[in-house]
Amino acid sequence: MSGQLQAQKVDLVKNEKEKKVEVSIDGKPFTSYFYPGEDVLKKAVLYPVMTAKGTLVTRGWPLDPRPGERVDHPHHVGIWLNYEDVNGNDYWNNSDAVDHAKRAYGTIVHTGITSVKSGKNKGELTVTADWVDKDRTLTLKETTTYVFSAKGDMRFIDRSTTLTAVIDAAMPDIKDGMYAIRVARELELPSNKPEIFTDAAGIATKVPVMNNTGITGNYRNSNGIEGEAVWAKRAIWCNLTGKIKDENISIAMIDHPKNVGYPSYWHARGYGLFAVNPLGQKAFSDGKEVLNFKLKKGESTTFRYRMVIASEHLSDSALNTIAADFGKTK
């Protein structure tokens, strides 16, 4: 956290042939903004994501499978932002692996790269997308700005996403959302029982018990709650720590005071889904709270999140400092 740390150059390079914008820090690959098109993914993502030491922290499957990985939830790819219900269309679970006859699925269509800026201390990328429903009706227009930066062995991604309603948009209270990362197998929490997770349409996904050798993950939130118990708890931040080979790793997500529902509920699962869902209050509070967020035609809302990927186990005090700093941003 020292202010004496040397500035690190952040380079963003457009690779139109591979449909990505590659992000490197001091010449080392960090991540890519990847927009391969609907035949591959139903939204653009940051993928893959690496630590300062070059270790992959995102799951490879289904795009680049690695031995021993889980093969559930094919829509969990890299880092993304979407939601399970917008005007009755499911943007979260959409993939070519699901039966589209069972439910209305929406798609987030990448529409352009507005700005690409490299810099000595940070790099900035602004992109646009259209949220279209099953009939291709435009519902929400998205503008997202990513700011990539680094301090020592910490990598930062600040995401600011503004959604503007083209028509009246209802985003009813539901479990699956909103900003998420699917992590590498080693960063999952050790499990001793198979589980089945069901979405709002009643479609079940089985998550089997697997060999726990080398599985090192543990969650801890800003209120000191640990393990799987962070699920359905409000917190300013949540930190996933673990180890891959001999490298200690933290992935922390931080909420912003201006976001709807702050401090948010966390949809963080032991099998590798690490998500924050500001709009899903009913599912997480056993019905005690209900949000049912809506945007009227022409209205906008902005979601702001900071993600930290560190080659160390970040302390509560370090994360409180980072969160306080992020809270001052617009």
Side-chain angles (χ1 to χ4, degrees):
M1 298 300 295
S2 167
Q4 304 301 311
L5 291 172
Q6 189 172 352
Q8 299 183 58
K9 191 169 189 302
V10 183
D11 287 305
L12 276 64
V13 177
K14 290 170 77 172
N15 182 342
E16 292 181 3
K17 183 180 179 182
E18 295 185 17
K19 296 186 177 179
K20 60 178 67 170
V21 179
E22 297 164 335
V23 182
S24 61
I25 296 177
D26 273 356
K28 296 178 181 178
F30 174 32
T31 189
S32 293
Y33 173 78
F34 185 43
Y35 54 100
E38 293 175 50
D39 56 332
V40 179
L41 289 174
K42 306 303 181 183
K43 73 271 187 181
V45 298
L46 295 183
Y47 174 88
V49 182
M50 284 167 266
T51 69
K53 296 181 178 180
T55 300
L56 288 164
V57 297
T58 41
R59 179 176 70 166
W61 191 84
L63 299 182
D64 185 20
R66 302 196 292 271
E69 289 188 315
R70 292 190 187 275
V71 292
D72 58 79
H73 299 89
H75 49 282
H76 292 175
V77 176
I79 299 173
W80 72 95
L81 186 150
N82 57 16
Y83 195 61
E84 190 181 359
D85 190 342
V86 183
N87 287 356
N89 287 256
D90 181 353
Y91 290 81
W92 177 273
N93 291 292
N94 193 4
S95 81
D96 284 336
V98 300
D99 181 353
H100 284 74
K102 289 186 176 180
R103 195 174 188 192
Y105 289 95
T107 303
I108 302 175
V109 181
H110 165 86
T111 55
I113 297 168
T114 306
S115 175
V116 179
K117 297 177 184 174
S118 301
K120 188 175 181 181
N121 294 298
K122 66 180 182 180
E124 200 169 291
L125 172 68
T126 301
V127 295
T128 56
D130 287 345
W131 293 45
V132 299
D133 71 10
K134 67 176 177 61
D135 299 318
R136 310 302 290 186
T137 300
L138 177 58
T139 304
L140 299 169
K141 290 196 78 69
E142 173 185 332
T143 300
T144 291
T145 296
Y146 297 96
V147 178
F148 305 96
S149 60
K151 273 187 183 177
D153 280 346
M154 289 188 291
R155 302 284 183 255
F156 297 88
I157 302 167
D158 288 2
R159 176 173 181 151
S160 177
T161 292
T162 298
L163 300 177
T164 302
V166 178
I167 58 176
D168 288 354
M171 303 174 78
D173 203 308
I174 207 161
K175 173 174 64 70
D176 284 339
M178 178 168 204
Y179 185 50
I181 180 171
R182 181 65 192 256
V183 300
R185 172 73 180 130
E186 296 91 333
L187 300 178
E188 295 175 16
L189 277 61
S191 65
N192 56 15
K193 63 182 191 299
E195 297 190 74
I196 298 175
F197 298 98
T198 305
D199 68 17
I203 299 169
T205 299
K206 295 180 180 179
V207 178
V209 172
M210 296 177 69
N211 184 338
N212 286 321
T213 302
I215 309 310
T216 62
N218 188 43
Y219 289 113
R220 181 177 171 88
N221 73 16
S222 56
N223 298 313
I225 296 169
E226 294 201 1
E228 300 239 27
V230 301
W231 189 82
K233 303 291 193 308
R234 287 189 184 272
I236 294 169
W237 53 258
C238 192
N239 184 25
L240 174 61
T241 56
K243 194 170 188 175
I244 298 180
K245 295 183 178 175
D246 60 352
E247 182 179 355
N248 287 332
I249 293 169
S250 285
I251 301 174
M253 269 199 270
I254 299 165
D255 199 6
H256 193 285
K258 290 183 179 178
N259 286 344
V260 173
Y262 177 88
S264 183
Y265 282 103
W266 293 80
H267 183 29
R269 296 292 201 185
Y271 66 81
L273 170 67
F274 182 11
V276 58
N277 184 359
L279 305 184
Q281 299 182 11
K282 182 179 181 181
F284 300 124
S285 69
D286 288 330
K288 297 183 187 74
E289 303 170 68
V290 181
L291 181 58
N292 287 334
F293 186 73
K294 294 179 181 179
L295 289 172
K296 292 183 179 178
K297 180 180 177 180
E299 290 182 339
S300 298
T301 192
T302 300
F303 297 96
R304 309 159 185 85
Y305 297 103
R306 172 170 286 177
M307 190 175 291
V308 190
I309 295 101
S311 297
E312 61 179 297
H313 287 169
L314 295 171
S315 67
D316 289 8
S317 60
L319 284 165
N320 287 335
T321 299
I322 293 168
D325 174 66
F326 181 53
K328 295 172 187 172
T329 62
K330 293 181 178 180

